[in-house]
Amino acid sequence: MTEIDVACPMCGDINRVDGGLSAAVCQSCGAAFAVPMQKADIFIPQQEPVNECPEFAVRAGVLESYNGNDPVVYVPDGITAIGAQAFKDKVNIHRVVLPEGVTEIQSAGSGMWGAFFGCTSLESVELPNSLTRIGSNAFNGCVKLAGIDLPDAVSQIGAGAFNGCTDLSSVKLPKSLRELSNDIFRGCVSLTGIKLNGNIKNIGSNAFADCRELRGLTIPPGIKTIGAYAFSGCYGLTDILLPGTVISLGASAFTECRNLSVITVPASIETFENDGAGVRTFAGCSSLRRVNMGKLPPNYMDVFATTPWLDEFLVKQGLCRHCGGQFKGVFKKTCSVCGLPKDY
């Protein structure tokens, strides 16, 4: 115990005494006096702040995981990003509301596990106006997600973001979006229509593949490239007008569009891409009978393979319907290229 100064009650002189004593004798007059009891120092440990939302695992503003079981989830304020697997396989969630301040739903990288991947009961998501980026595979496999409004600030949506959202019937695309990534709406079999803004320059591979109910699609001026299989298997498409800004069509871009009957192809197209299996841009379009196109490309046999338009065109031109070659001979004509006899 430390020493303290105590005044003698008899003579008033100050005495320095041990603070641990209960009594002492004045060094000046010899009178006894009581030593005041000293309070011991009390250490109060600092408590860690209590997490008011223990079901949310947050680090540096990023919601890394949700560990609750509520069907409706309100993400707390203060979150700036949703982690790449934050809600992965949360099959009990029906609705999620993200707060203002969230700027990003992080990308899943090379894997298939996006932030809401496998949320098979998720029906709606409210996104904040602060959101600017949606990562790859973010909502992949959310089979009950029926509609979503994407804020205008969103300028980037990763590959496969809505892949396999089989109940998705309506989407509002943001004006700031410049590209539709690969597989973005692939397999959205209930998607009936979508408005593409004039700022979009590229439509990625498989972007709308197997969107069987998609119809009334308008491809606006400004789009330059349409990737491989971009609209493959879109049974609902009946006519397509490609704008004069398109310079490249990917392999099999419109293959198996069974009800596509009219296509307008601009002279601006420089490339009908080949993916190794062939060009086959409109292959399998079994209703295609009208093609508005100036000069046919040299590989038109591959571009329009297995379409009724190609068959009718070849017959009208007096060419071999198998390879497009010319016939030779007088009485029994055979193709000078493939050798097959004329069959019409």
Side-chain angles (χ1 to χ4, degrees):
M1 186 70 70
T2 58
E3 292 184 339
I4 60 174
D5 292 331
V6 181
C8 175
M10 295 298 293
C11 68
D13 285 353
I14 301 299
N15 294 266
R16 178 165 288 275
V17 299
D18 188 340
L21 299 176
S22 60
V25 175
C26 178
Q27 297 176 2
S28 298
C29 68
F33 59 87
V35 177
M37 183 179 294
Q38 302 299 302
K39 294 182 179 179
D41 293 334
I42 300 176
F43 174 73
I44 301 177
Q46 185 176 3
Q47 296 182 350
E48 293 293 329
V50 177
N51 183 0
E52 297 179 354
C53 303
E55 66 270 30
F56 296 96
V58 180
R59 179 182 296 180
V62 178
L63 174 58
E64 294 187 339
S65 65
Y66 170 70
N67 303 309
N69 294 301
D70 295 329
V72 179
V73 179
Y74 292 88
V75 175
D77 292 336
I79 304 297
T80 58
I82 305 300
Q85 299 184 19
F87 293 91
K88 176 181 172 290
D89 292 331
K90 289 294 181 180
V91 297
N92 295 323
I93 295 177
H94 292 265
R95 179 173 175 242
V96 174
V97 179
L98 303 184
E100 286 296 332
V102 172
T103 61
E104 177 185 15
I105 298 175
Q106 293 183 344
S107 179
S110 60
M112 288 290 289
W113 321 125
F116 295 89
F117 178 88
C119 292
T120 53
S121 299
L122 184 64
E123 298 174 353
S124 68
V125 178
E126 292 185 25
L127 304 176
N129 292 325
S130 55
L131 190 68
T132 61
R133 182 178 181 274
I134 297 175
S136 61
N137 297 302
F139 297 94
N140 190 321
C142 294
V143 295
K144 289 191 176 181
L145 186 64
I148 192 164
D149 285 345
L150 301 174
D152 282 337
V154 174
S155 59
Q156 184 179 356
I157 302 176
F162 299 95
N163 189 346
C165 294
T166 54
D167 277 3
L168 189 66
S169 60
S170 64
V171 177
K172 176 183 174 291
L173 292 178
K175 297 177 181 179
S176 56
L177 196 62
R178 297 291 185 270
E179 179 180 20
L180 294 178
S181 300
N182 298 345
D183 304 294
I184 184 171
F185 295 110
R186 184 177 187 174
C188 294
V189 295
S190 299
L191 187 63
T192 57
I194 190 167
K195 184 178 180 181
L196 305 182
N197 69 64
N199 294 322
I200 294 175
K201 304 300 180 186
N202 305 304
I203 298 177
S205 299
N206 291 295
F208 294 95
D210 299 319
C211 292
R212 299 172 184 173
E213 298 299 321
L214 185 63
R215 53 176 59 88
L217 178 70
T218 299
I219 300 179
I223 290 179
K224 294 183 177 181
T225 63
I226 297 176
Y229 297 90
F231 295 94
S232 173
C234 292
Y235 301 159
L237 295 180
T238 57
D239 61 276
I240 290 292
L241 171 62
L242 297 177
T245 54
V246 176
I247 59 174
S248 176
L249 280 179
S252 302
F254 292 91
T255 188
E256 297 297 332
C257 292
R258 299 176 182 177
N259 293 306
L260 184 62
S261 60
V262 181
I263 181 74
T264 300
V265 183
S268 59
I269 294 182
E270 302 170 354
T271 306
F272 290 88
E273 293 183 357
N274 188 326
D275 64 355
V279 179
R280 302 176 62 80
T281 312
F282 300 99
C285 295
S286 54
S287 298
L288 185 61
R289 294 186 177 276
R290 182 179 174 185
V291 175
N292 300 318
M293 190 174 186
K295 183 179 179 181
L296 289 176
N299 56 350
Y300 72 90
M301 288 289 295
D302 198 7
V303 171
F304 297 100
T306 68
T307 64
W309 173 86
L310 179 62
D311 189 70
E312 293 170 6
F313 172 80
L314 293 172
V315 171
K316 187 181 296 185
Q317 298 297 318
L319 301 174
C320 175
R321 66 202 311 176
H322 302 287
C323 70
Q326 294 184 339
F327 292 107
K328 63 180 180 179
V330 179
F331 299 105
K332 187 178 181 180
K333 294 186 176 183
T334 58
C335 178
S336 60
V337 177
C338 67
L340 292 174
K342 185 176 182 180
D343 56 0
Y344 61 87

